[in-house]
Structure formats: C-alpha cells, structure tokens
Amino acid sequence: MATPVSSRPPSNRFLGNSDSNNLEVHDLRNENRNCQISEILRAGNAVVFSPDTLQQARSEGYDPCHWCLSGSTR
C-alpha cells in the first residue's frame, strides 16, 4: 500500500510519484538527475510502498521510471 511522504525516506528503495498524470516509481539506489525526485517531494506527490518492492509498486499501477529502472510501458 502506498503511503504519502513529505521528505526523502531514509531507508526505502522505491519512491512513487502519485501525480495522477504520472504514476511512476523510482529506484532511489539508482537515481538519475532526470528523475527529479526533489520536484516530486516539493509537489507533495511522493509515496513509499509497503512492502518496499518494485513488484508492490507495479501492482498498485505505478510504471517504472525510464531513467532509473527499465521496463517502462510509456
């Protein structure tokens, strides 16, 4: 289940962008400057997943980021 966060989570690997036009999941261990994590946090669109897995994020409808993960369907 996705949970909103207001700052970069210290131990989570995956961070989602909950903007309804951009449901995207990012890998914070492979972050690319194009991911724009700061902007996602600033906009209040950041969520983390429980469990903290790519599989969980995808099951909730989040698409992998083109820059930090492979397999984007966009």
Side-chain angles (χ1 to χ4, degrees), residues 12 14 22 26-27 29 37 43 49 56 59 62 64 67-68 71:
N12 286 69
F14 298 101
N22 189 18
H26 298 271
D27 182 348
R29 294 184 189 164
I37 300 299
F49 305 95
Q56 180 65 32
S59 75
Y62 287 79
W67 301 104
C68 63

Side-chain angles (χ1 to χ4, degrees), residues 23-59:
L23 285 178
E24 192 169 60
V25 61
H26 298 271
D27 182 348
L28 296 178
R29 294 184 189 164
N30 192 35
E31 184 179 346
N32 180 293
R33 66 183 176 94
N34 293 306
C35 295
Q36 302 180 342
I37 300 299
S38 297
E39 286 80 2
I40 294 168
L41 291 164
R42 190 173 15 260
N45 295 329
V47 296
V48 293
F49 305 95
S50 182
D52 183 31
T53 64
L54 179 57
Q55 180 179 1
Q56 180 65 32
R58 293 195 75 171
S59 75

